[in-house]
Amino acid sequence: MAAKRLIARTCLAAAALVGTALAPALANAEPASSAHGSMMNLSIRGEAREDIRTAFLTCEPTGGSHPYANDACQALKDANGDFTKLTTEHSACPLNYKPVTLSAKGRWQGKPVTFEKTFPNDCVAGAATGKVFSF
């Protein structure tokens, strides 16, 4: 009887030691799906409340509802997920003022991403962001 108690206490102590050793590693661990995942909700809002377009973009693997997902993911990869560093295209845009606000919220390679910027019109917005907001 004493031997059974000794074995039980030894097993309990060993389990506690293993749990204590793993706790710091598990506390900083991220789920495998979000560790390097890149997914975001993108939107384009016009002046009117009902004037809104949205797309869902995933990279690594490329997918979602974005019609140019491959090009958008490549542009974001080139900018390291920083929307302010997207390569701009040279374009002659009209001077009409019909503002649009581009927004992105999600994760790029596991890190949170939030972006919002208002442009004077669709043409200027497209020239500044390439295929990322082409939907």
Side-chain angles (χ1 to χ4, degrees):
M1 179 96 158
K4 285 184 181 180
R5 281 190 213 160
L6 181 60
I7 292 172
R9 287 182 184 162
T10 304
C11 289
L12 185 60
L17 268 171
V18 170
T20 303
L22 289 177
L26 292 175
N28 294 324
E30 291 184 9
S33 62
S34 70
H36 296 290
S38 298
M39 60 184 78
M40 55 199 73
N41 290 308
L42 306 171
S43 69
I44 304 169
R45 284 190 328 266
E47 289 182 287
R49 177 177 278 203
E50 64 278 352
D51 186 13
I52 187 164
R53 294 172 277 166
T54 62
F56 182 68
L57 176 67
T58 62
C59 301
E60 303 162 13
T62 302
S65 64
H66 197 293
Y68 303 103
N70 287 326
D71 295 331
C73 287
Q74 185 60 53
L76 286 166
K77 183 178 179 182
D78 293 344
N80 198 26
D82 186 347
F83 283 80
T84 64
K85 293 183 180 176
L86 288 171
T87 305
T88 58
E89 298 174 8
H90 296 289
S91 183
C93 292
L95 297 177
N96 64 332
Y97 185 71
K98 190 175 179 187
V100 292
T101 301
L102 308 183
S103 302
K105 186 168 179 132
R107 300 185 79 69
W108 177 258
Q109 296 183 345
K111 296 176 186 161
V113 171
T114 303
F115 170 80
E116 184 170 289
K117 185 169 182 179
T118 301
F119 294 89
N121 59 45
D122 272 325
C123 180
V124 175
T129 61
K131 293 287 188 183
V132 176
F133 287 93
S134 292
F135 52 86

